[in-house]
Amino acid sequence: MKYVFLFLVCFSGCVIAETEILTVDRSVSGSFQSSFDNPQKVFADISDFQVINCVLMSNDKGERWAVITVNNTANGQRTLNQKHLLALFANGDRIMPAAFTTRFERNESLSITINFGENKFPILEVYSRLEV
């Protein structure tokens, strides 16, 4: 009986671990166009950061992550944070990622992994708001 119990505990642990594994939903390279209304007027802060591309990921728990490649278009050093990015979800919601900061040199491009929390809807795109 002890062995059966041990087997069940180990098996359930494996099943739980598998649901936390992220899988790639899709890769986006700046060509996605959407026309969702924005009644709450949610906008990213204006910055010098341009999202070059992103790989969207999720797991069975509904966690939403993205690996994004961002370019600092400024002629000086800048710091990217969660206020400079938004994710557009399939229900039209716009959500900022969890808090983070990353320093960029002039004209530098970096790839970073960011967390957008749990949501039942998938992320359609991650974008910034360039100063015009």
Side-chain angles (χ1 to χ4, degrees), residues 65-89:
W65 292 78
V67 175
I68 62 170
T69 302
V70 180
N71 178 256
N72 173 17
T73 63
N75 286 327
Q77 190 179 72
R78 298 287 188 272
T79 300
L80 174 71
N81 67 46
Q82 70 279 0
K83 295 179 181 178
H84 297 125
L85 298 170
L86 282 177
L88 176 65
F89 285 78

Side-chain angles (χ1 to χ4, degrees), residues 3-20 61:
Y3 295 112
V4 171
F5 178 74
L6 224 75
F7 173 78
L8 290 175
V9 169
C10 290
F11 181 74
S12 64
C14 292
V15 170
I16 290 170
E18 281 187 39
T19 62
E20 296 178 13
K61 286 177 40 179

Side-chain angles (χ1 to χ4, degrees), residues 48-114:
D48 294 311
F49 296 105
Q50 179 181 17
V51 176
I52 307 298
N53 58 51
C54 63
V55 176
L56 306 174
M57 301 174 294
S58 65
N59 64 20
D60 291 340
K61 286 177 40 179
E63 292 177 327
R64 306 296 173 195
W65 292 78
V67 175
I68 62 170
T69 302
V70 180
N71 178 256
N72 173 17
T73 63
N75 286 327
Q77 190 179 72
R78 298 287 188 272
T79 300
L80 174 71
N81 67 46
Q82 70 279 0
K83 295 179 181 178
H84 297 125
L85 298 170
L86 282 177
L88 176 65
F89 285 78
N91 64 344
D93 286 349
R94 290 160 174 85
I95 298 175
M96 284 184 191
F100 75 94
T101 59
T102 304
R103 181 160 285 223
F104 285 73
E105 296 299 324
R106 173 179 68 95
N107 294 320
E108 182 179 28
S109 293
L110 290 174
S111 294
I112 56 175
T113 303
I114 53 178

Side-chain angles (χ1 to χ4, degrees), residues 103-132:
R103 181 160 285 223
F104 285 73
E105 296 299 324
R106 173 179 68 95
N107 294 320
E108 182 179 28
S109 293
L110 290 174
S111 294
I112 56 175
T113 303
I114 53 178
N115 179 358
F116 286 94
E118 289 185 19
N119 199 306
K120 71 177 184 177
F121 290 96
I123 297 174
L124 298 178
E125 67 176 317
V126 177
Y127 61 93
S128 62
R129 186 172 166 211
L130 288 170
E131 191 168 21
V132 195

